[in-house]
Structure formats: structure tokens, C-alpha cells
Amino acid sequence: MNYDFTYLAILLSDGNEERSEDSRCYASPVKKKAYSVSNSSMELAADESVILAYWQICDGIMDHRGLKKLKYLGSCTLLKRAYRKASALRPAFDQQVRDQLKILRELEEQNCDSIDRAADAFAGLLSNAAEEIEDPVRRRVLTQMLYHLGRWVYLVDAADDLQEDAKSGNYNPIALRYQLSNGEWTNESRHEFALTLDHSIRMMTTSYELWNFGVWTPILETTLYKGLFQVGKAVLDGTFHRETNRKRRLRNSNE
Amino acid sequence: MSNPYQVLGVSETATDEEIKKAYRDLARKYHPDNYHDNPLADLAQERMKEINAAYEQITKERSGAANQTRGAYNSYGGGYQQYSTYSSSGSSVLQQVRIAINTGDLSRAEALLANYSDHNAEWNFLRGAVCYRRGWMDEAKRYYQTACQMDPTNSEYRQAADFMEHGAQRGYQPNGVPFGTEVCSSSDMCGRLCCAYLLCNGCGGMPIICC
């Protein structure tokens, strides 16, 4: 289970997840671990996460060569059974994900220099996850939150890849939009970009305030009002990768 | 109507001062300025009405039905205004675009704008408004700026461009912590709390740190 699923489950759940039980699982076959009892929103989040992960892995197969491609092919094979089950249960979402990823690929091929247009494809993909929610108010709130979370993730990811893409010549909408050379920010472009991220975060927080997320309130509030800014700033400062690589090295040396 | 104390998030034993503070905090959160051109402004307006009604009910109950003057207060109410249907260009097509934006019919607004060949200041402003509602913040800002350059005297265009420059940071923020990527504290406040990665590209993609 990764944090993709966790966040999607949090957002799609009704905030009353109090029940937990103890059981063994594949990851912990001996010692019993507490787990949250499944409910319909968690089922929805699980199905949609599997579909999202599957198609992103398929995308990764096209994007990579050599050993990395093999890694993606392996993951794809592992996920295939779960994907078949999930896509049979959520055919509309499955189709939407395919369509949006196709749009994204076409925009990349066209070297699209609109960061909004490129981010829209990914943001739309994530906001579709809220379509099956019955309550109309909650559906509107989550659609807007997920759209701007998707937009933010896509843009911050592209910002994080700026220098790598400049070296490899890969498509990067931010480099094209601000006409950056060697993936280096100018003060003006950096400020403009931070502003556009802030507007998306503002859209997320104003949506968030219109629904009661129950037990998830503290984690969502901290993420939306603090965590996103901090990650965005670290990416813009160029310290994000350094920090994560350092943590990875520390983790590896401890293992 | 639901329990007014629950609406304000206070207990029935809360003091008048605590109730007033809770009301003000909520009013700040759902204030129209925070939902400027926001597609969910109608929901914020509904919430504001509930909060106003709850506060009014509590103050009336506490002051006694006979003495309602004590409950008098300046409630937040209006202000979730939509675009005026008046189009400064005088074009009926652009007036229809304003109506379409106000009713949330962005596809119609876009279609009307696409077929309108005179890309004047009003056209750019409305194009910016459609972009903003769609979440296309970068393009919204650029269209608003173009509208301002073409007609620097128009206050509506200037306000929209100004909002794109400063509006996101001016809104509600719990505990008064600065709102903004460039102004956030990267160490003390958030740093110690940050803990988890959210992998958004499935296979080792973009990690989000959550606090």
C-alpha cells in the first residue's frame, strides 16, 4: 500500500473510520496488525488507485528503456489481475484515465508550452476519482480539491525535473512556458510559478473548508496549509531532492 | 434548524465571548473575499447564512426574547457577488458570456468567446475569468494583465489582475501562519512535522511531504 491510496482513501472516505481490527496479512504474516475495516469509500479509493497505478506504469513502460523498462514491465504484470478486477467494477473511471493520459501524451509530443493545459490533463484525471460520490456537495468539494491537488502535483513534479529534463532533452512544460535555459529559474519566473501554485493551494483550502472530513481534519489541515507550501519551496530552492536522497541514504545505511 | 452551538462548534456552556470568537473565526473563514470567483462560492454563502442564523439565534436566546437589541451585530452576508452582467464593451455577445460565467456554463462562455473576433480588453478579461474558473491560473493571470494593458482605467480588470498577484496569500489561514510557497517557513514550524511521502506517479514518482 502506498500513500497515493492513503490520501485518496482519506479524501473519499466520510471521516468516520473508527473501527479497526487485528489480522495477519502478506506484509506481516506472523504478527497481527491493526487494519481499518473496509467500507465503500475505501473500496472506491482502492479500485481507483489500482487503475491509476496500472495506467501510469503502462505509461512508464513507453517512457523507459533497459533495466528501468523491465522494472515497469514487472510491476505491470503484478498489477494486471488487480487492474482487471478494478476496471470491471469502475469501467467509466478506467476509460477516463486512458483518455486523459492519451491527451497528456499528445501534449508532450506537441511540446505544449501551456503549463495549465498540460497540468489540466493530469488534474482532470485525478478529479474524475470523485465522480462516483453521491452527495452533490461533497462531490463538488472533492472534484475541486482533487483537480487542484492534481495540478499542483503535476507542476511541482515538472519543477523538480527541470534540470534533469534540460540534460536529457525531455519535455518539460515549465521550461517551455518560462523559456528557461538549462532548467534554471530566473527570479521573475520563480515568483510567477510560486504564485500559480499558491492559487491552486488556495482553491484546495477553500474547498476543504466546505466539508467536514471528521477524523482526517488534522492531517488534511496540516498538509494543505503547511506541507504543500514546504514541499513547493524545497523544490523551488533545489533542496527537495537533496533532502529525499539524504533520507534514502540514511534509511539504506540503517537497513 | 440544526443545533446553533454545533454550527458554531462551541459547547452550550461557552461564554458569550467564546461564542463571539467562534463566530468571528468562522465568518473570517467563509468570508466572500476568500471565495472571490470561486466555483464553490455558493456553498460558502450557504455556510455563511447558517453561521449568521446560528449566532443570531444564540444571542437572541441568551439576551431573552424580550430584549433582542443585545443580539444586534453586523452579520456578514452579501458580497459573494458575481460578475455584473454589464459589459463595458457594450457587446451583447460579451454580456451573454458574463451571464454564462455566472451560471457556471463555462463551455458556453468559451464557445461564445471563440466565435468573437474582436479580442478587446473585455474579451481578454472574460477569457481570464473562464480560465480562472477552470483552474487555469497561469493563463487567467495573463489574460487579466492583457485586459489591464488595453484598458488601464477599468477598475474591474485591475482588481482581477491584482487578485492574481496577491489574492491567494490574502485569504483565510488558520492561526495566522503566512500563506504562500515563497513565504512559508521551511524549517521550524513545518519541518519537524513532515513525515510521509505520497507517491503520485505510482512507481517512484513525485513524493508529496505531508505534515
Side-chain angles (χ1 to χ4, degrees), chain A residues 33-52:
Chain A
K33 296 269 187 184
Y35 73 97
S36 188
V37 177
S38 181
N39 57 37
S40 61
S41 40
M42 212 173 280
E43 300 279 342
L44 176 65
D47 292 339
E48 293 186 340
S49 292
V50 167
I51 292 168
L52 276 169

Side-chain angles (χ1 to χ4, degrees), chain B residues 137-178:
Chain B
M137 305 306 191
D138 185 49
E139 297 200 8
K141 187 177 181 193
R142 292 207 271 175
Y143 281 115
Y144 285 149
Q145 283 173 334
T146 306
C148 277
Q149 282 159 10
M150 293 173 97
D151 185 356
T153 59
N154 187 301
S155 61
E156 191 180 20
Y157 305 165
R158 206 171 51 246
Q159 273 172 18
D162 181 64
F163 178 78
M164 295 312 294
E165 188 63 38
H166 307 289
Q169 295 84 6
R170 281 185 194 146
Y172 169 79
Q173 169 77 348
N175 309 318
V177 179

Side-chain angles (χ1 to χ4, degrees), chain B residues 6 19 37 39 44 55 58 79 92 134 141-142 149 154 194:
Chain B
Q6 275 179 9
I19 288 165
D37 288 351
Y55 186 64
I58 292 172
S92 65
R134 284 222 183 276
K141 187 177 181 193
R142 292 207 271 175
Q149 282 159 10
N154 187 301
C194 284

Side-chain angles (χ1 to χ4, degrees), chain A residues 154-174:
Chain A
Y154 182 86
L155 292 178
V156 172
D157 195 18
D160 196 39
D161 287 343
L162 263 177
Q163 299 206 337
E164 210 179 302
D165 289 342
K167 279 183 203 150
S168 64
N170 279 352
Y171 169 75
N172 190 303
I174 298 170

Side-chain angles (χ1 to χ4, degrees), chain B residues 54-118:
Chain B
Y55 186 64
E56 194 174 356
Q57 189 181 337
I58 292 172
T59 45
K60 268 183 189 168
E61 280 171 10
R62 291 198 170 197
S63 60
N67 178 18
Q68 291 185 7
T69 51
R70 200 184 145 212
Y73 66 102
N74 295 321
S75 72
Y76 297 90
Y80 298 88
Q81 81 278 14
Q82 298 187 306
Y83 292 114
S84 137
T85 50
Y86 164 75
S87 165
S88 62
S89 70
S91 153
S92 65
V93 174
L94 296 183
Q95 275 179 10
Q96 285 175 48
V97 173
R98 281 180 178 257
I99 293 166
I101 294 172
N102 280 343
T103 54
D105 192 350
L106 298 183
S107 299
R108 177 172 160 73
E110 271 177 336
L112 288 166
L113 287 168
N115 288 323
Y116 196 76
S117 57
D118 181 8

